[in-house]
Structures are given as C-alpha cells and as structure tokens.
Amino acid sequence: MAYRAVIPYESLDPLTIGASDDESKVNRDTLELEIPERNLLAAIYPDEPPPVPDATDAARYALEHPVSGRSFASLLAGAKSVAIVIDNQFRPTPQSKLLPAVFDALETAGITDARVVCANGKVFPMSETDIPQKLGPENLARMERLGIPFFQNEPRNEEMYTYVGVTSRGTPVWLHREVAAADVTITIGQAQSNHWGAGGGGKLILPGVVSDETIEANHCNLVPSPQTHYGAYAGPMRSDIDEAATMCGLTCTMNVVLDTHGRVIECIFGSHPDAHRHAIGRFNEIYTYEHPGPADIAICGVFAPTDHLFFHTGWGCMSADLVVREGGSIIYCSPSPGVSTAIGDFPGLALMDMMKPYLPPTRANYERVLKDIHARAIQMWAGCIWVPIYEVMTRKHLKLVTIEENLEMAADVGIDATTSLDAAFAEALERHGPDAKVIVLPFARYQLPGNAVRMHAEDLKPLEEVRL
Amino acid sequence: MTHGAIRGSTTIVEILRRYPGGEAARLMSRLAWPCAHCGGAFHEPLTLAAKRHRNDPRAVLEAFRALERADGPSEEQLRLAAEKHR
C-alpha cells in the first residue's frame, strides 16, 4: 500500500510581484509522490478557513474594531501627522486593497500631513513597475490628489535617519525621518510565524524603515541565537524588533493572515504590539500541527505568493528542521524561476551563492560563518536567510528539487539539486533505510510544530525540547 | 548608449545597468557581494563597496573594468579582487 502525496510546486511569473492577484501569472503546478504506508509518519495539510469576501471591507471593519487599544479614527482625532508603513515587493500583502480603508480614515479625520513609506529594509527599492502593482494605480492617484508622498527605505543615506536610542539587547536604532516625524504610525503587513519568530507588525519598523547599522546590529547579534526559531515570538530577535518598534513610536498595526493562495483570511488591527501578537496567535491556530515525532525524511512544497527565489521560499527548511532528526534529509521542492527587477534579471538561486565560500556545510565552516558575521564580512540583511539554511545543512542533508535552469548554479554553489522528486526520494530512502519515517509538509514555509511556539518570555525553553 | 570607463565613483546600480546580461551581477557573486539585491546599490560607489566588503578597491576596480574585454577578468584578477583583507 502507498500514500499518494500531492506536493505544491508553485511559482510566479518573474515579471510580477508577490502581491499580484493575477492568476494568469501564477503557475500552480504540483508534484506527486507515492510513499509506502509503512514509511509515512504524517502528511500535514492545514485546514484553512475561507478567505474574506472583500479585503477592503475587512480592513475597514478592522480599523473600526481594534482587538486592543483605540480605533484608528480615535487615534487620528488627536493627530496632526501620520506615517503609513507598508511592506515591499517580496511580501504578498495586498496593499492595494488595504490602503483605501486607511486613506478613507485620513480624509474623514482631515489629516493632510501624511506619508507612505515602504519597509524595504536593505532590499533594493520597488521599481516604477513594482509600485503600481503593489500600491494600486487608484491609490497612487489618490495619494497625489491628497499630497501624500511615497518614500522607500534608503539604509545607507545617513541624512534620512534620526537617532532614537539603544534597545535593551544593545541594538542602536536610527529611524527613517519621515516615520520619526509622524504623530501616529501604522504598519500594514502580513502576520506569519517564521524562523525569526514572526513576520509583520513591528518588523516593518526594524528592519523595514531603519538604517543599515540598526539592521546589521540586530541581525548579526540575534539571527544565530538558538532561541531565534520558528514560532519564537518571545525569542531574542523578535523581542528586540518589537522593543525597537516601541521606541520608534509605532502606534498601531494592521495585520493580515493570508492563506496559501495569498488571499486574506483575517485582518486584525489594534495597538502595538498586542494586535500583531493576536494575529500571530490566529496564524498559529491554523498552521501549527502536533509534533508527530522525529522523521528521517521531510518532503516540503512551496506556494506561489513568494515563489520567485529559493531565498524566499526556502524558509521552510528551518521549520522542517524542527521535525527531522539529526542526520536526516529535507527534500525541498521549489521551482524558483527567478525574478526580473529594474536592475536586471536574477536566477532562482540568487543570494544563495553567498554561502559558497563556506561550503561544504560543516561545524568548522559554520564557525567561520560566525566569525565573519561578527567581523561584518557577511551582510546579515541577506545572511538572515542563507545563514539559517546553511546551519540546517550542517546537521541535515538538503536536497533541492527544482527546474532544470537552476541546476548549473546549484552545482556551482554546492547545493545538491535535481529535477526529479522520485529520484530525490529514492536516494533518501537509500540513505536512511527501508524503515525511514517520512513527513510531508506541503506548505513548509507556513507550517510549524505547535511545541515550537513561544509567545511569552516564560515559555522560552531549549530547542531540544521541540525536536523530541 | 555609451559609457565611460568604470571608475571608483561609479555606483553599483550603474554597473549593473551596464551589463543587462548579468555579467556584473555574476562578478559580484564571485566576490560574495549581495549588492545586486541591496538597497545600498543605488548609492554605493564601487570603491566604498569594496572597502565595506573588505576587498582591495584597486583589484576590484580592475576586475570590473575587465568586464569590457571579451574574455572578462582573468582568474588571477578574480582571485585578487575576491581576497578579503582584515
């Protein structure tokens, strides 16, 4: 008897962006694999609620019904200036549908001093073609009519930043001056658990709209911490981010929980940091699963809203790590077709080449990585993704299943890759024997074992207690 | 469109735009620079990028200038450009 697993193998047209809702630009391919029943430990398919009928209406309702603190209208009543911080082209948040509700509130309150700032951190800014896709042409026209300027983060332009202070974990904070100048700051982003603890909320402040030094200080010190992991909301990295956001005067957050098709399941608004915490709690209710015990092999799939680069789809390596035994195998199915940007086309494994000087992945070479992080020879705005993947690779075998076009670069970098899931699975069974236990995580980037969740400081426990 | 020689003051994004076929991005990859994806690319001159990444600015400049040649930079030029200095 065999279990037939269906693995999402989705990708986006390289010319579109994560927030696009144009289904013609999404490739919803799947891979299928027969797994002998005796090998199957678990196949985890989340039970996703239906999407909201209208994201703009959901945003409007959320702004009027905060889960904590005051309504947005009430906050605006005493304000003269507002900063609206949105996420960038590599996040699937449908800003074009959420912004109208915010602009309605600004107009009703008579606020004329407002700005929209893109939280692109150290990633290159959105291009002239990205901006209308992300914000929507109607919103851009409305911004022009209302005199609302649009800014993007310029982390190396010192003139754009205002010094705020130092967090309790030692991160010096310089904030984008357009955000610093506002009485009320709202972030609009996607809430999801991830390998930094969680995304969205205060994370649009740090790393979104702070300086190079702030981003690197936070990331260099706190990404490698064993307490920074999937679900670790109370971990050091996420805690530092939320503390910095508080210091920067973040007033409130609007957080969407998106399903694996990029549709809004919930929109949650309220004061910082409570509303974001609430949204992460909701995300975890949907996408956590009971740890089934250690697997020898994990088979992971990817879904379209972020699938241009393995750099972004590959986060699930860190969640699969939590349920795969030491020495086990992670088979990661990601077509990763690459992305076209204003400054050129980038292949599907772009930025993963940063790990090339440290391959093969060994503990000794990981020590070199750590030394180079603290010598500032590694840029951790990019290392915050490839370094955790590398660290997993020092303990587990990563096999990438991808499109033909990526194989040459994978070989050059030193990443083990193939185009065949069947071949990858046969090889893993050969490595781990006929009784190998297999877990299927079709949406690994979202999925995490429930015992990894650390929402409060008192929950912090050694990671060994997660891995079972 | 014509370009002058790459200079130390040429920004990363200007260099990337000179080579839409990706030659400059691949050279940055050989130097273990993530610049091609970095917001700093829009402001960072090549010399400053070399210093930030602790590579020799002169060797880096010569490697990028060698992109003009049909065979690109030599292995020796690449080695010198990629060498990290403490």
Side-chain angles (χ1 to χ4, degrees), chain A residues 104-245:
Chain A
D104 288 350
L106 290 186
E107 283 207 83
T108 301
I111 302 279
T112 55
D113 181 6
R115 70 281 288 146
V116 175
V117 187
C118 178
N120 51 298
K122 281 180 74 176
V123 176
F124 55 84
M126 287 196 282
S127 69
E128 287 180 11
T129 55
D130 291 339
I131 292 169
Q133 288 188 76
K134 185 70 182 183
L135 277 75
E138 290 175 8
N139 289 318
L140 288 169
R142 189 174 184 184
M143 286 165 62
E144 187 163 350
R145 180 169 59 77
L146 296 174
I148 299 175
F150 178 62
F151 297 89
Q152 304 200 62
N153 207 41
E154 300 180 54
R156 300 233 172 100
N157 182 358
E158 291 186 4
E159 292 178 3
M160 290 304 293
Y161 296 88
T162 299
Y163 177 68
V164 174
V166 180
T167 69
S168 58
R169 292 167 186 79
T171 302
V173 180
W174 285 270
L175 175 65
H176 195 289
R177 69 182 185 200
E178 288 293 331
V179 180
D183 298 335
V184 168
T185 298
I186 178 173
T187 61
I188 308 174
Q190 180 196 10
Q192 77 155 109
S193 289
N194 62 26
H195 65 283
W196 305 299
K203 197 167 166 298
L204 277 79
I205 300 294
L206 194 177
V209 290
V210 292
S211 75
D212 185 5
E213 296 83 357
T214 303
I215 295 167
E216 291 297 327
N218 169 273
H219 288 21
C220 288
N221 285 329
L222 303 174
V223 166
S225 166
Q227 292 292 350
T228 295
H229 61 76
Y230 253 83
Y233 200 85
M237 180 155 177
R238 181 71 213 191
S239 297
D240 196 53
I241 285 169
D242 281 326
E243 182 185 348

Side-chain angles (χ1 to χ4, degrees), chain A residues 29-54:
Chain A
D29 294 337
T30 56
L31 300 176
E32 294 191 8
L33 179 70
E34 291 208 342
I35 302 169
E37 291 279 6
R38 70 191 184 103
N39 295 109
L40 186 67
L41 178 67
I44 316 283
Y45 286 81
D47 185 13
E48 297 182 302
V52 298
D54 185 305

Side-chain angles (χ1 to χ4, degrees), chain A residues 122 212-213 215-225 237 354-355 358 365-391, chain B residues 52-54 84 86:
Chain A
K122 281 180 74 176
D212 185 5
E213 296 83 357
I215 295 167
E216 291 297 327
N218 169 273
H219 288 21
C220 288
N221 285 329
L222 303 174
V223 166
S225 166
M237 180 155 177
M354 296 297 111
M355 68 169 62
Y358 306 98
N365 279 338
Y366 185 59
E367 279 188 42
R368 288 177 50 222
V369 169
L370 293 173
K371 285 186 176 180
D372 283 349
I373 288 172
H374 290 285
R376 297 295 197 260
I378 290 174
Q379 295 270 310
M380 282 302 282
W381 72 267
C384 68
I385 293 175
W386 74 257
V387 169
I389 293 175
Y390 178 93
E391 197 279 329
Chain B
R52 188 183 298 282
H53 293 288
R54 302 184 316 116
K84 296 287 183 190
R86 295 281 169 188

